[in-house]
Structure formats: C-alpha cells, structure tokens
Amino acid sequence: DIQLTQSPSFLSASVGDRVTITCRASQGINNYLAWYQQKPGQAPKLLIYAASTLQSGVPSRFSGSGSGTEFTLTISSLQPEDFATYYCQQLNDYPFTFGPGTKVDMK
Amino acid sequence: EVQLVDSGGGLVQPGGSLRLSCVASGFTSSRFGVAWVRQAPGKGLEWVSSINVGDTYIQYADSVKGRFTISRDNAKNSLHLQMDSLRSEDTAVYYCARVVTDANNFWSGFDYWGQGTLVTVSS
C-alpha cells in the first residue's frame, strides 16, 4: 500500500498568514493527489485534485503543487473560515489512501 | 444542485449486518464512479470501497473485503453498501462520495460527499 505522510501534523497560524502543508508519498503517484478540508461535524470538501487543479468554487488563495512523491498545499492568506483539518489522498493505486491530516488552528 | 444523502446507519451488535444507502440528486449517478469513505470517531479518513462507471471494476479495502458489498440501483439513482459480519472496529461515520476525473478520464478526487451516516458496532 502507498503510505502518505503529512507535515506538520498541527499548525498554529494567524489570519493573513501564508500556510504550507506538505504531503509525501512512499512511492511515486504521478499527479494523482487530492487535497480536502474538513471542519468538525462536516463532510470533507475537495479543494484541489490532480495535484494542482483548483476545484470549482474554491477560493484562489488555495493552490496545490508537486508530482511524484512530494506535494504541497498552500493557502496564500489564511482566512477565519480556513481553520480546519486538511487531508491529502492518493488515487494512483488501490487502496486509495489518505494522509493522517494537518490541523490548522488559530494562534 | 448536486447532492448526496446518506442513510441507514445505526447501532448493531458485533456479527450483525447493516445496509447503507446514498441517494443522488442533480446528476445521474450511473455516469460517475462512486465510493464509500469512513471516519472512526476522532480519527482520519479511510477509503472503504469504489465502483466505476458500468460497474465492471469494484475495489475494497483489505479491512472490509469479504464482508462488505458495494452496489448501485440505477433506477433509484442510488448507491448501497451492504455490511455483514460487523466488528467493533467498523464503528465510524460512513460517507458516500462522487469521483471527479482529470482530462484523461483518470480518477483524481472525490468532489461531492454525502453528509455521512454513523454506524456503531457494540453489544
């Protein structure tokens, strides 16, 4: 199985900060990586798919990059509604694994 | 408006069965790959099962293989997950999700999710 690691696991930030989350895969996954945002009690929300394609309706402050084994999610200017947990997911091979999550909290 | 509505969760004893349903609206579910994803209380996301367009390719996580069965009812625009031989470690919120594909028609993410239905396996 392909393992995904995320760093950091926890991130304390302020409104307006630039935030970067890294997802590393245990083997190459081409660009079959998605990023999700999840708030407590809610279903995950797709932000980025195919590593860098912004999902329709998602603000442009979110961006994704990378290929192969290392990927990043960047929030250019953190907004109050962005405090949440973020997960990466690989769809290169079954089983479709998720990263353990990065919780973004208010400093 | 695209919407997925999950239902069928509840409390069940170990060894018991449940059938989850996911009704789609705003799109024809048979034209999309779909999946089930679960989340144990306070834990991360775990992919459970997927089914492609045409229902010719079905996959399961090892943790549920042989116990869970994914299926569609195209007449009702719905997706199902039959869960048998349930264990305490199956306790989770179960979400159905729709697959989004890239320009080459490869699966690239899950773009719409149901609200989730809680399954609790306990005696």
Short mmCIF file of all heavy atoms in Angstrom, two decimals, chain A residues 32-57:
data_model
loop_
_atom_site.label_atom_id
_atom_site.label_comp_id
_atom_site.label_asym_id
_atom_site.label_seq_id
_atom_site.Cartn_x
_atom_site.Cartn_y
_atom_site.Cartn_z
N TYR A 32 -1.66 12.04 -9.08
CA TYR A 32 -2.99 11.62 -8.62
C TYR A 32 -3.14 11.86 -7.12
O TYR A 32 -3.22 10.93 -6.31
CB TYR A 32 -3.25 10.17 -9.01
CG TYR A 32 -3.29 10.01 -10.51
CD1 TYR A 32 -2.35 9.22 -11.17
CD2 TYR A 32 -4.22 10.69 -11.26
CE1 TYR A 32 -2.37 9.12 -12.56
CE2 TYR A 32 -4.25 10.60 -12.64
CZ TYR A 32 -3.32 9.81 -13.28
OH TYR A 32 -3.33 9.72 -14.65
N LEU A 33 -3.13 13.15 -6.80
CA LEU A 33 -3.23 13.56 -5.41
C LEU A 33 -4.31 14.61 -5.27
O LEU A 33 -4.40 15.54 -6.09
CB LEU A 33 -1.90 14.12 -4.90
CG LEU A 33 -1.98 14.36 -3.39
CD1 LEU A 33 -1.29 13.24 -2.63
CD2 LEU A 33 -1.44 15.70 -2.99
N ALA A 34 -5.14 14.46 -4.24
CA ALA A 34 -6.20 15.41 -3.94
C ALA A 34 -6.01 15.95 -2.53
O ALA A 34 -5.41 15.29 -1.66
CB ALA A 34 -7.56 14.73 -4.06
N TRP A 35 -6.51 17.15 -2.32
CA TRP A 35 -6.49 17.80 -1.00
C TRP A 35 -7.93 18.10 -0.58
O TRP A 35 -8.74 18.58 -1.38
CB TRP A 35 -5.71 19.10 -1.04
CG TRP A 35 -4.23 18.96 -1.20
CD1 TRP A 35 -3.51 19.06 -2.35
CD2 TRP A 35 -3.28 18.73 -0.15
NE1 TRP A 35 -2.17 18.90 -2.09
CE2 TRP A 35 -2.00 18.70 -0.73
CE3 TRP A 35 -3.38 18.56 1.23
CZ2 TRP A 35 -0.84 18.49 0.00
CZ3 TRP A 35 -2.23 18.36 1.97
CH2 TRP A 35 -0.98 18.32 1.36
N TYR A 36 -8.21 17.85 0.70
CA TYR A 36 -9.54 18.09 1.26
C TYR A 36 -9.42 18.94 2.52
O TYR A 36 -8.43 18.85 3.25
CB TYR A 36 -10.23 16.77 1.64
CG TYR A 36 -10.40 15.82 0.49
CD1 TYR A 36 -9.41 14.90 0.17
CD2 TYR A 36 -11.55 15.85 -0.30
CE1 TYR A 36 -9.56 14.03 -0.89
CE2 TYR A 36 -11.70 14.98 -1.36
CZ TYR A 36 -10.70 14.07 -1.66
OH TYR A 36 -10.84 13.22 -2.72
N GLN A 37 -10.47 19.69 2.77
CA GLN A 37 -10.63 20.44 4.01
C GLN A 37 -11.80 19.84 4.77
O GLN A 37 -12.85 19.56 4.17
CB GLN A 37 -10.92 21.91 3.70
CG GLN A 37 -11.21 22.78 4.90
CD GLN A 37 -11.82 24.12 4.46
OE1 GLN A 37 -12.96 24.20 4.02
NE2 GLN A 37 -11.03 25.18 4.59
N GLN A 38 -11.64 19.63 6.07
CA GLN A 38 -12.74 19.13 6.87
C GLN A 38 -12.87 19.93 8.15
O GLN A 38 -11.89 20.13 8.87
CB GLN A 38 -12.57 17.64 7.21
CG GLN A 38 -13.81 17.05 7.88
CD GLN A 38 -13.68 15.58 8.22
OE1 GLN A 38 -12.60 15.10 8.53
NE2 GLN A 38 -14.79 14.86 8.15
N LYS A 39 -14.08 20.38 8.42
CA LYS A 39 -14.39 21.06 9.66
C LYS A 39 -15.18 20.12 10.56
O LYS A 39 -15.83 19.19 10.05
CB LYS A 39 -15.18 22.34 9.38
CG LYS A 39 -14.38 23.32 8.54
CD LYS A 39 -15.16 24.59 8.23
CE LYS A 39 -14.31 25.52 7.39
NZ LYS A 39 -15.03 26.76 7.01
N PRO A 40 -15.13 20.32 11.88
CA PRO A 40 -15.81 19.39 12.81
C PRO A 40 -17.28 19.20 12.47
O PRO A 40 -18.00 20.17 12.22
CB PRO A 40 -15.63 20.08 14.16
CG PRO A 40 -14.38 20.88 14.02
CD PRO A 40 -14.39 21.38 12.59
N GLY A 41 -17.70 17.93 12.42
CA GLY A 41 -19.09 17.60 12.17
C GLY A 41 -19.52 17.73 10.72
O GLY A 41 -20.71 17.56 10.41
N GLN A 42 -18.57 18.00 9.84
CA GLN A 42 -18.90 18.16 8.42
C GLN A 42 -18.17 17.12 7.57
O GLN A 42 -17.14 16.57 7.97
CB GLN A 42 -18.52 19.56 7.93
CG GLN A 42 -19.31 20.68 8.60
CD GLN A 42 -18.97 22.04 8.00
OE1 GLN A 42 -18.40 22.13 6.91
NE2 GLN A 42 -19.33 23.10 8.70
N ALA A 43 -18.70 16.89 6.39
CA ALA A 43 -18.03 16.03 5.42
C ALA A 43 -16.81 16.75 4.86
O ALA A 43 -16.75 17.99 4.86
CB ALA A 43 -18.98 15.67 4.29
N PRO A 44 -15.83 16.00 4.39
CA PRO A 44 -14.69 16.64 3.73
C PRO A 44 -15.14 17.42 2.49
O PRO A 44 -16.15 17.08 1.86
CB PRO A 44 -13.80 15.46 3.34
CG PRO A 44 -14.18 14.37 4.28
CD PRO A 44 -15.66 14.56 4.51
N LYS A 45 -14.36 18.43 2.16
CA LYS A 45 -14.62 19.26 0.98
C LYS A 45 -13.39 19.22 0.09
O LYS A 45 -12.27 19.47 0.54
CB LYS A 45 -14.90 20.71 1.41
CG LYS A 45 -15.04 21.69 0.27
CD LYS A 45 -15.16 23.11 0.82
CE LYS A 45 -15.17 24.15 -0.30
NZ LYS A 45 -15.21 25.53 0.23
N LEU A 46 -13.60 18.89 -1.18
CA LEU A 46 -12.49 18.84 -2.12
C LEU A 46 -11.99 20.25 -2.43
O LEU A 46 -12.77 21.13 -2.81
CB LEU A 46 -12.93 18.15 -3.41
CG LEU A 46 -11.88 18.05 -4.53
CD1 LEU A 46 -10.72 17.14 -4.10
CD2 LEU A 46 -12.52 17.53 -5.81
N LEU A 47 -10.67 20.45 -2.30
CA LEU A 47 -10.05 21.73 -2.62
C LEU A 47 -9.29 21.67 -3.94
O LEU A 47 -9.42 22.54 -4.80
CB LEU A 47 -9.07 22.14 -1.52
CG LEU A 47 -9.61 22.30 -0.10
CD1 LEU A 47 -8.45 22.56 0.86
CD2 LEU A 47 -10.63 23.43 -0.04
N ILE A 48 -8.46 20.66 -4.06
CA ILE A 48 -7.52 20.50 -5.17
C ILE A 48 -7.57 19.05 -5.64
O ILE A 48 -7.60 18.13 -4.81
CB ILE A 48 -6.07 20.81 -4.74
CG1 ILE A 48 -5.93 22.23 -4.18
CG2 ILE A 48 -5.09 20.56 -5.88
CD1 ILE A 48 -5.95 23.33 -5.20
N TYR A 49 -7.58 18.81 -6.95
CA TYR A 49 -7.43 17.46 -7.46
C TYR A 49 -6.38 17.46 -8.57
O TYR A 49 -5.99 18.52 -9.07
CB TYR A 49 -8.76 16.88 -7.93
CG TYR A 49 -9.41 17.56 -9.11
CD1 TYR A 49 -9.21 17.09 -10.41
CD2 TYR A 49 -10.23 18.67 -8.93
CE1 TYR A 49 -9.81 17.71 -11.49
CE2 TYR A 49 -10.83 19.30 -10.01
CZ TYR A 49 -10.62 18.82 -11.29
OH TYR A 49 -11.21 19.44 -12.37
N ALA A 50 -5.92 16.26 -8.90
CA ALA A 50 -4.82 16.13 -9.86
C ALA A 50 -3.65 17.04 -9.47
O ALA A 50 -3.05 17.69 -10.32
CB ALA A 50 -5.31 16.43 -11.28
N ALA A 51 -3.39 17.08 -8.20
CA ALA A 51 -2.25 17.78 -7.58
C ALA A 51 -2.35 19.30 -7.61
O ALA A 51 -1.94 19.96 -6.65
CB ALA A 51 -0.92 17.34 -8.20
N SER A 52 -2.89 19.87 -8.70
CA SER A 52 -2.83 21.33 -8.82
C SER A 52 -4.08 21.97 -9.41
O SER A 52 -4.10 23.19 -9.60
CB SER A 52 -1.63 21.72 -9.70
OG SER A 52 -1.75 21.16 -10.98
N THR A 53 -5.10 21.19 -9.69
CA THR A 53 -6.33 21.74 -10.26
C THR A 53 -7.28 22.18 -9.16
O THR A 53 -7.69 21.38 -8.32
CB THR A 53 -7.02 20.69 -11.16
OG1 THR A 53 -6.13 20.27 -12.19
CG2 THR A 53 -8.29 21.28 -11.79
N LEU A 54 -7.61 23.47 -9.19
CA LEU A 54 -8.49 24.03 -8.18
C LEU A 54 -9.93 23.59 -8.47
O LEU A 54 -10.45 23.80 -9.57
CB LEU A 54 -8.38 25.55 -8.19
CG LEU A 54 -9.07 26.32 -7.06
CD1 LEU A 54 -8.36 26.07 -5.74
CD2 LEU A 54 -9.07 27.81 -7.38
N GLN A 55 -10.57 22.99 -7.47
CA GLN A 55 -11.96 22.58 -7.62
C GLN A 55 -12.84 23.82 -7.81
O GLN A 55 -12.61 24.88 -7.19
CB GLN A 55 -12.41 21.77 -6.40
CG GLN A 55 -13.90 21.49 -6.29
CD GLN A 55 -14.43 20.55 -7.36
OE1 GLN A 55 -13.71 20.11 -8.25
NE2 GLN A 55 -15.71 20.22 -7.27
N SER A 56 -13.85 23.70 -8.64
CA SER A 56 -14.77 24.80 -8.89
C SER A 56 -15.36 25.33 -7.58
O SER A 56 -15.79 24.56 -6.72
CB SER A 56 -15.90 24.30 -9.80
OG SER A 56 -16.88 25.30 -9.97
N GLY A 57 -15.36 26.64 -7.45
CA GLY A 57 -15.94 27.27 -6.27
C GLY A 57 -14.99 27.47 -5.11
O GLY A 57 -15.33 28.13 -4.13
#
